[in-house]
Amino acid sequence: MNQSAKKIHCEVISIAEGKTWNNIVVQRKVSKKRLFFGKAKKDLDLNVGDEAYLEIEVMPSELPESPLRVTLYDMNGVKIDWTIIQPSQIDNIR
């Protein structure tokens, strides 16, 4: 894990099978904020209701609001998917 990354627990609330990838929606435990991940491998051992965690890293940027790279992991530390969001899309990341 990157030293600057923050680890945030969440729960898998939806898994939709696509043709190539699975689409996963997770919900943060405290804030109930939801995040969508659209390119999860189909062969993952992950089910609705499973606990997972997010690592959030601030990306280098010259913009006033630096984008965040959010990576989703299962509780065994297996990387599931990642996405880039604006800080306004997630609250209280600390």
Side-chain angles (χ1 to χ4, degrees), residues 11-63:
E11 180 182 349
V12 177
I13 60 168
S14 161
I15 300 175
E17 285 196 36
K19 288 185 179 182
T20 310
W21 308 97
N22 282 347
N23 300 321
I24 297 177
V25 177
V26 298
Q27 181 171 282
R28 291 187 46 207
K29 296 268 187 193
V30 177
S31 69
K32 305 297 185 199
K33 252 316 183 185
R34 294 180 177 189
L35 282 174
F36 172 82
F37 295 88
K39 281 191 151 183
K41 292 179 186 168
K42 288 182 161 284
D43 61 353
L44 293 170
D45 184 23
L46 194 68
N47 300 292
V48 171
D50 284 357
E51 291 204 24
Y53 68 91
L54 305 168
E55 278 187 5
I56 300 177
E57 297 176 78
V58 177
M59 299 178 65
S61 173
E62 293 180 16
L63 299 171

